[in-house]
Amino acid sequence: MMITPDILPILRCPFGGDSLVLAEPELVERVNGAISAGTARDQLGTRVETPIDAGMVNSAKDRLYPVRENIATLIADNAIQIKELL
């Protein structure tokens, strides 16, 4: 993943402004499992269909911002709901 340790501290959750941390590999696997099962939803309730390569989690641990092909999606509505996956 192209998000380097020096850039991560300046990235912020676009919804609440809190800091982001890289998702653990186990969480990425659970999210991809939910995507495969058709149960993963974004903040608008839309089904997420494309698997992720990595992700960044907000401090409330209820949103995961997906990273696909080394591109982070920091759009609040596109964050994947993860509270049920933790």
Side-chain angles (χ1 to χ4, degrees):
M1 189 167 98
M2 297 302 294
I3 297 174
T4 59
D6 58 324
I7 191 116
L8 191 59
I10 61 173
L11 296 177
R12 296 281 179 240
C13 173
F15 178 74
D18 49 338
S19 61
L20 298 170
V21 297
L22 292 177
E24 296 293 328
E26 296 82 18
L27 178 57
V28 173
E29 286 181 33
R30 284 192 298 249
V31 169
N32 281 329
I35 291 170
S36 293
T39 59
R41 300 278 185 249
D42 66 16
Q43 296 303 306
L44 298 176
T46 304
R47 187 174 143 209
V48 178
E49 298 181 356
T50 307
I52 63 172
D53 300 322
M56 295 176 291
V57 179
N58 67 340
S59 61
K61 296 184 179 173
D62 61 352
R63 297 169 185 256
L64 179 139
Y65 293 91
V67 177
R68 295 181 181 99
E69 297 181 16
N70 293 322
I71 299 172
T73 302
L74 292 175
I75 300 171
D77 290 343
N78 292 347
I80 299 171
Q81 300 172 13
I82 59 167
K83 207 150 205 137
E84 304 83 33
L85 301 175
L86 296 176

